[in-house]
Amino acid sequence: MSKNNQETLRILPLGGLGEVGKNMMAYEFGDRILVVDAGLMFPENDMLGVDYIIPDFQYLRDNAARVDGIIITHGHEDHIGAIQHLLADIPAPVYATRLTRGLVEVKLARNGMANRAQLIQIQAGDTVQIGPFKVETFHVCHSVPDAIGLGITTPAGLVVHTGDYKFDQTPVDNWPTDFAKLAEFSARGVDVLLADSTNSERPGWTQSERVIGPAFDEVFRTAPGRIIIATFASLIARMQQAADAAVRHGRKMAFVGTSMVDNAKIARQMGYLEMPDNTLVSIEEALRLPDKKVVLMCTGSQGEPSSIIGRLSTGTNRHFDVKEGDTIVLSSHPIPGNEEAVNKTINRLIRRGAEVVYEAVAAVHVSGHASSEEQKLLLNLVRPRNFIPIHGELHQLKRHAVLARQVGIADENIFVVENGQVIELTGGQVRLGERLPGGYIFVEGESVGEIDLDVMREREQLARSGVVLITVTLDKYSNRLLKEPEVLTRGFISTDDADGLIPAVQKKVSDLVNGGGLDNEKLIADAVRSLLYNETRRRPMVFVVSTKM
Amino acid sequence: MSKNNQETLRILPLGGLGEVGKNMMAYEFGDRILVVDAGLMFPENDMLGVDYIIPDFQYLRDNAARVDGIIITHGHEDHIGAIQHLLADIPAPVYATRLTRGLVEVKLARNGMANRAQLIQIQAGDTVQIGPFKVETFHVCHSVPDAIGLGITTPAGLVVHTGDYKFDQTPVDNWPTDFAKLAEFSARGVDVLLADSTNSERPGWTQSERVIGPAFDEVFRTAPGRIIIATFASLIARMQQAADAAVRHGRKMAFVGTSMVDNAKIARQMGYLEMPDNTLVSIEEALRLPDKKVVLMCTGSQGEPSSIIGRLSTGTNRHFDVKEGDTIVLSSHPIPGNEEAVNKTINRLIRRGAEVVYEAVAAVHVSGHASSEEQKLLLNLVRPRNFIPIHGELHQLKRHAVLARQVGIADENIFVVENGQVIELTGGQVRLGERLPGGYIFVEGESVGEIDLDVMREREQLARSGVVLITVTLDKYSNRLLKEPEVLTRGFISTDDADGLIPAVQKKVSDLVNGGGLDNEKLIADAVRSLLYNETRRRPMVFVVSTKM
């Protein structure tokens, strides 16, 4: 079909940073646009002060009237966390399965946008026509229920977009990935497959979510006191496992923290989290029960300082403290870059007397993403004409491409691209299109996009060596100093050590000014900079304020 | 023997940060002191601006005359990297095996201390009497040759200190760990075992260094152009593997970078690195050879921006660039906290057209540390009365303690401690002693210990939200502004976005000053801080300089 048609589908991985097409993608046919996902990214360690990052969707903003719809594959933050920013500019209907819709609603309500969006509920298996895009949804396993992949048909051909997936044969909700639909696509002929690359460097198969049951049982059987389980607030499948273990071992369970409480409530209302009424208690009730009867579930498994686990580890939580006898389960894998923070948090919790159970010592976490053997199976199931690895950093995409070559996809039909690179499908043929300009949009407190890379570089300099402020007061007639120059430092050297250095700076400035009648702030600053560099080999930011009286 | 003796050996893990006893330990008997190792630590991600960290050895400085000797277990940076700082204050003789001694000499020469130290060369198997300490050295396998562990006998009993070790049965230098000596210690009765905990969370056995040979062969066989291998400059065993592969595949090899060149030279001179003269070339010669005939070996496997690999990845290396066809091998495991930097570096190198081979995709690195089955074997070989897990973060020590319980060491004979906690051995019994005060000593450029935690906190604030500098000029009689307040920001918001905010700040300051005749810099700064917080939810550091004319 597609071979004879010369119409073009444009595939646009948006986002700027890191993982390709993870947080937002767009498909464009003719002048109509379909958006897939609207998630956030977590800042890297050198993105100082940034709360989170959203994709640069300027292209969509410029073409807002052409967007026919937004479809969300599942309810994790990296796929829904930017939805309020997107909807503020792009008033298109949002298509989502039941649980995903609930999680989107929670997020919109928290941002005062409860009634601003048109949410259209679908279910896995549904086919929806969104403008020129015929979207066939199919169920995939992941660490949140109700996740979907997409088959997108336009006159240019059929594209399969997996979203995050794994091939769990024994999922906790007994609902495996829809192999039949993948086979059906394959029979029809898939022009392009876009598939999740997260675990392309992991050999073998990802373990079933079900292995966590026995690991939790072991923890519940041996814990001498309270059990505190930390994970992401959106890992609904993990909530189910914890609730099941609580029932089996006769403990009551409380969710702690706004996002946990809200998400658990939505998931329970919609039937994606099943737990008896008499198992669920409030945190207040839980804290009054005997320790051996309690499970708390909260956030903070990534070592975030402001999370409940982060605060427990530093003794700064308000409602309760860690105590001897507590067992703390970190039920997640550190996001790259968070390893150090997670290790520090574990050390701090141990120091406070807790037993800490984490991925490295027990099977309390499994990945939600397919490993390399599953990725090869997907490729063999779908047998696409062209393959675009998505959802991964460049090195993971490259590795996914190696796997694709291993199962017989020809090199010229594999396209490893980064965000911003448009890919065009015409008559079954793929070629690279234009590059969209785009970068990072940093969100920090109330400000969206006010921080740019220049600001970040200034912060880096400040962070590395601090700041030195010099105030000189000159006689306006003679250009000589009226008093000793004042020197203030922050983040440069300790007060004790400044005692030796500051007089030298004052002398240098005095000599310069009184010697040559120098009144140029820039020249004074340069002289101080080189003095400080010679003395300390460091380069603080130096400001000079001079006033003439 | 030891049971009837009431004399006490004090065991002092020094160091402050992180891994217990890794970088420096002291043994004290009567008033005599033996120091083991003098290494550096790498800064954590939130230790802004710090080059490296050295142990706080104030206790040794206070008791310098009591130190009889310093013995070094092996020549890695985390065991020798602080030797120049230690020797500057503690003029004790340094005992080291041949290669270790050579690596120490290189380091001292680089710090202008070539002739300031008394270096005493020993070999594995030697027994040396250092004050009251009879030290029996024994060979251990690690990723550098000539590494030793120590049996330390005093009237208080026998203590075995492994240093970094693994039980490689097929080491590249054909010199396995000295099992016989461990068995002999065991027969004599070991009062305390202190053992390396680095890999206590890894199941099974660490692979032999020898598996790297075939992995390198695969790279050498398939690489279409130059091969660039990155590792630590002190990983002499890896140099040997690369040199062997170069010979097998008919390539010439050049070491690049001062520390690589120096260490390779020392290792070759001393016979720990064997390579034919006609295999070794200079970097200049290497760059003139056909690409297929070249291997370069350099540093930067941890993604350090200023290393050769770091500079290659950003296109800022002086001598040569990465080009299409290059194969870059990262032959090391990311140090915790460096994962993100390593991944970014890999992505950048791929973007420049290189093939990148790293631990996750090929066996180009194995750990130099024993995994949990080896740790259990060591415990069963030595059967110590008491066990102190060392060389690890708290979570790794705890895990090592679990392994010790599994092989039958009683809980009351296992001591998980952190740096600064003195342990006392008397009559075969171990008990906890005093805690030595101590923290981090940050080294930054030329300054050692001038940066304290207050300075670090100021840097963190600067890094998070930047700095705002306000200059107000007042009439000295009326206290009214003589001109518009000046506002300068760095690292706060981008210039474009400042356009809206700065007039608001100026107005606020003007209103305050002219309205109330306010001339107090602190009150003006507070008012600006709250204005900025309300507008942006961020807290930059605010400085106000006011001058009266």
Side-chain angles (χ1 to χ4, degrees), chain A residues 476-545:
Chain A
K476 61 182 157 185
Y477 304 110
S478 68
N479 266 353
R480 293 179 67 86
L481 286 172
L482 285 174
K483 54 179 180 176
E484 185 94 273
E486 290 171 40
V487 180
L488 185 78
T489 78
R490 288 285 185 278
F492 177 47
I493 46 174
S494 67
T495 323
D496 290 351
D497 294 293
D499 290 352
L501 196 56
I502 285 177
V505 172
Q506 288 172 319
K507 183 166 181 313
K508 179 82 179 182
V509 174
S510 301
D511 289 354
L512 270 176
V513 174
N514 291 338
L518 185 68
D519 65 342
N520 181 313
E521 292 177 357
K522 188 179 167 308
L523 293 179
I524 296 174
D526 286 346
V528 170
R529 267 184 213 111
S530 62
L531 171 73
L532 295 177
Y533 181 73
N534 286 335
E535 292 292 320
T536 67
R537 298 283 141 192
R538 277 177 289 143
R539 303 185 187 280
M541 222 174 239
V542 176
F543 299 104
V544 175
V545 178

Side-chain angles (χ1 to χ4, degrees), chain B residues 4 14 24 40 52 66 97 122 215 226 245 312 345-346 389 439 445 486-487 503 531:
Chain B
N4 303 316
L14 300 171
M24 191 181 287
L40 58 76
Y52 61 92
R66 304 209 276 113
T97 56
I122 55 176
R226 294 187 301 192
L312 286 174
T345 304
I346 295 172
E486 289 170 40
V487 180
L531 169 72

Side-chain angles (χ1 to χ4, degrees), chain B residues 2 7 67 71-72 102 138 174 184 204 207 209 233 278 288 341-342 375 420 425 501 514 520 530:
Chain B
S2 55
E7 291 183 275
V67 178
I71 189 162
I72 307 289
F138 57 98
N174 294 313
E184 187 204 318
Q207 282 195 292
E209 190 76 15
N278 67 356
R288 284 193 298 265
V342 172
Q375 292 170 333
L425 168 68
L501 196 55
N514 290 338
N520 180 314
S530 64

Side-chain angles (χ1 to χ4, degrees), chain B residues 186-198:
Chain B
S186 178
R188 240 188 280 167
V190 173
D191 293 293
V192 185
L193 170 68
L194 297 100
D196 176 8
S197 309
T198 310

Side-chain angles (χ1 to χ4, degrees), chain A residues 368-385:
Chain A
H369 301 270
S371 293
S372 53
E373 290 303 319
E374 288 155 279
Q375 292 171 334
K376 288 188 255 182
L377 174 58
L378 176 76
L379 285 156
N380 275 329
L381 260 173
V382 175
R383 298 307 311 165
R385 282 195 195 91

